[in-house]
Amino acid sequence: MWETIGTVRDLGRLQEIASILIRFGFGEFVQRIGLVGALERAGRLLHIGQHHEERERPEPAVRFRQALQELGPTFVKFGQVLATRIDLLPPEWVAELGKLQNAVPALGWEEIRPQLVEDLGAEPEEVFARVEKEPLAAASLAQTHRAWLEDGSPVVLKVRRPGIREVVEADLRLMMRAAEIIQSQVPDLRRYRPTGVVQQFASSLRAELDFAGECRNAERIAENFAGDARLAIPGIHWHWTCERLNVQDFMDGIAGNELAIVDAAGLDRHELARTGADLVLKMVLEDGLFHADPHPGNIFYLYDGRIGLIDFGMVGRVGERRRQQVAQLLHGMVSQDAEAVADILLDWTDGDADVEEGRLQTDVDALVDQYRGVPLKELRMGQMLLDVSAMLRRNRLTLPPDLALMIKAFLTLEGLGRQLDPDFDMASEAQPYLERALMQRYSPAAVARRGRRTVSGMLDLVGSLPRDLRRLMQAARRGRLRTQVEITSLKAFGDQINSAANRLTVGVITAALIIGSSIVTNAVGGGISSRGLMALGVMGFIGATLSGVWIVFSIWRSGRRK
């Protein structure tokens, strides 16, 4: 599958990726997905030295994180997404990938200035009263600069790194090819659905590259909290904002991890923890649209007691049905309803998932019993969600991507809340939202809405049934009705049989040429006709030699492919 690489640039990047993975001790993985063979056929030799495996190395999770950091922005972002998949990776891997940082050296002002002029439609000094050339912060996809409007209002310019989209798209192409190979060739990793993980990541990363989309996310969340003075979201200056540039109000506050400054400012930590929990629970369980990356760098505590949020490039969306399932799951854990918990987990799995329902029910019973009798204020929701994820991994189940983001947001929220207030009680804060979500399912409006959808679906089915039956009968009468059974596991076997038959045929022809040529050359006498027979015999030997060479080369090439 690597043979479809379209450009020389992709090939060079592929060699760089393979070299870095080998250097960090993942040479066996590089070989298993066929990277070495593809690069050698392209004339780019790779050598996997044994000394890489023999010398002492850190743990695999540490090496994987280090390799992702060296591979660049796309892979750093990929590691951050993997850190949200607590249902796929064990806690030590999630913790290690959580250390991935976006901080990279900033580009010089003259490097970003041409793109900034193009996006603003004028020189920055003509648009703003003042612009700071030294960046406030720099990340893998963008960097920020502070500026002031003509009226003195401070703003922030978030500028996308020039050329970063081309780099990201090239890496995404290679990652998708690798995922396809892993899914088809590495059975041990197939259950993780690597192509689905990469597709989710690609969609998320492309959304992050669109700064205008990020601003639309911010405004949608701001609309959901209209009239709620506890949340602050920077205003957007749309006449300068585009895909590569985000101009928004500057937010003056205390970063989420600067607790000493919070105390010096006289802010109430307990109230901040409760307010933050209330805001995020409303986003997740009521609005269905939430900030999916609430780390301390994106959260600010304002001096008037409000909580500020920035960077809405990664948001999570949870539909009404999913929100109700989450509420039922958490309520089932708290109320020790093991059967309800198991039903929801099974509903979240794919239809073809290899699930032992008896074992899953036993594990759920044991997990729910673990929390039996625990007072609500002592219940650690983050630990409970981690236990659910560990149980999913044991049963070879995976969470849908939207739920993985939501659970990660819950864990981060509870961690920040406990930093602010060691007695922070996430379960008590969540209980009213869970009860409202459960009651909403059985409200008259919700029941009527589900009834309308059910009746409409049944009417559509009944209305289309005669037409579908007529088409089926017409196809049967015309002899166009076909039943196709495809067994993919036999395809490779059939190809091998076909290849062996071809070699056998060529071998028989080769033997015939050798025997025939030998008879002809032994029958040669004198005269012109003898010279013609001799030439015919020599041509037969040449043909037999070429056929033999082809057979040997075919066998060698088949062994290389294996």
XYZ file of all heavy atoms in Angstrom, residues 13 36 101 172 227 259 288 317 337 347 379 401 404 470 509 539:
125
model
N 9.369 12.527 3.572
C 8.791 12.592 4.907
C 8.624 11.185 5.479
O 8.829 10.958 6.669
C 7.446 13.320 4.837
C 6.710 13.415 6.165
C 7.501 14.154 7.230
N 6.694 14.424 8.403
C 7.173 14.644 9.617
N 8.491 14.621 9.808
N 6.367 14.897 10.627
N 9.987 -0.468 5.644
C 11.366 -0.714 5.224
C 11.401 -1.167 3.769
O 12.159 -0.646 2.950
C 12.037 -1.753 6.142
C 13.408 -2.118 5.612
C 12.154 -1.205 7.557
N 3.586 18.840 24.899
C 3.376 20.278 24.914
C 3.440 20.829 23.495
O 4.171 20.337 22.644
C 4.441 20.973 25.780
C 4.432 20.529 27.226
C 3.147 20.905 27.930
O 2.592 21.961 27.689
N 2.673 20.043 28.813
N -0.995 13.695 7.396
C -2.271 12.988 7.515
C -2.410 11.908 6.449
O -2.953 10.830 6.714
C -3.441 13.979 7.418
C -3.641 14.910 8.622
C -4.787 15.878 8.345
C -3.910 14.123 9.892
N -26.578 35.925 29.291
C -27.217 36.292 30.552
C -26.568 35.682 31.776
O -26.948 36.024 32.905
N -2.162 29.197 41.312
C -3.033 29.253 42.486
C -2.543 30.265 43.525
O -3.363 30.841 44.263
C -3.136 27.859 43.111
C -3.704 26.773 42.191
C -3.815 25.446 42.934
C -5.050 27.186 41.635
N -24.890 20.217 25.001
C -24.330 19.271 24.033
C -23.173 19.828 23.237
O -22.741 19.213 22.263
N -19.093 17.574 20.776
C -20.537 17.645 20.539
C -21.175 16.339 20.998
O -20.732 15.268 20.598
C -20.837 17.906 19.067
C -20.393 19.292 18.600
C -20.574 19.477 17.100
N -20.290 20.836 16.691
C -19.067 21.311 16.450
N -18.021 20.504 16.574
N -18.887 22.566 16.089
N -27.287 0.133 39.776
C -28.110 -0.568 38.788
C -27.180 -1.154 37.723
O -26.952 -0.571 36.668
C -29.122 0.393 38.165
C -30.130 -0.329 37.275
O -29.921 -1.525 36.985
O -31.110 0.317 36.845
N -24.659 -0.974 24.137
C -25.227 -0.114 23.099
C -24.164 0.755 22.456
O -24.306 1.174 21.299
C -26.331 0.754 23.703
C -27.146 1.459 22.634
O -27.597 0.778 21.697
O -27.309 2.688 22.718
N -17.726 10.144 46.670
C -17.602 9.468 45.374
C -16.692 10.276 44.459
O -16.904 11.474 44.262
C -18.989 9.320 44.737
C -19.062 8.510 43.449
C -18.706 7.056 43.715
C -20.460 8.600 42.855
N -15.966 8.193 19.813
C -15.039 9.334 19.984
C -15.631 10.493 20.779
O -14.923 11.129 21.557
C -14.731 9.747 18.543
C -14.952 8.513 17.729
C -16.077 7.795 18.397
N -15.323 9.768 24.427
C -13.942 9.821 24.915
C -13.547 11.256 25.240
O -12.917 11.535 26.272
C -13.000 9.222 23.870
N -41.849 -4.379 -5.473
C -42.006 -4.422 -6.927
C -40.647 -4.462 -7.617
O -40.424 -5.224 -8.554
C -42.806 -3.207 -7.385
C -43.123 -3.228 -8.903
C -44.037 -2.091 -9.316
N -43.439 -0.782 -9.091
C -43.792 0.063 -8.131
N -44.752 -0.271 -7.271
N -43.213 1.238 -8.008
N 6.408 -25.425 -19.665
C 6.858 -24.891 -20.958
C 8.386 -24.863 -21.024
O 8.996 -25.203 -22.047
C 6.286 -23.483 -21.181
C 4.756 -23.566 -21.330
C 6.904 -22.819 -22.405
C 4.084 -22.210 -21.390
N 17.542 -20.842 -29.994
C 16.449 -19.965 -29.551
C 15.600 -20.653 -28.471
O 15.133 -20.025 -27.515
C 15.558 -19.576 -30.736
C 16.238 -18.617 -31.726
S 15.222 -18.311 -33.181
C 13.776 -17.620 -32.432
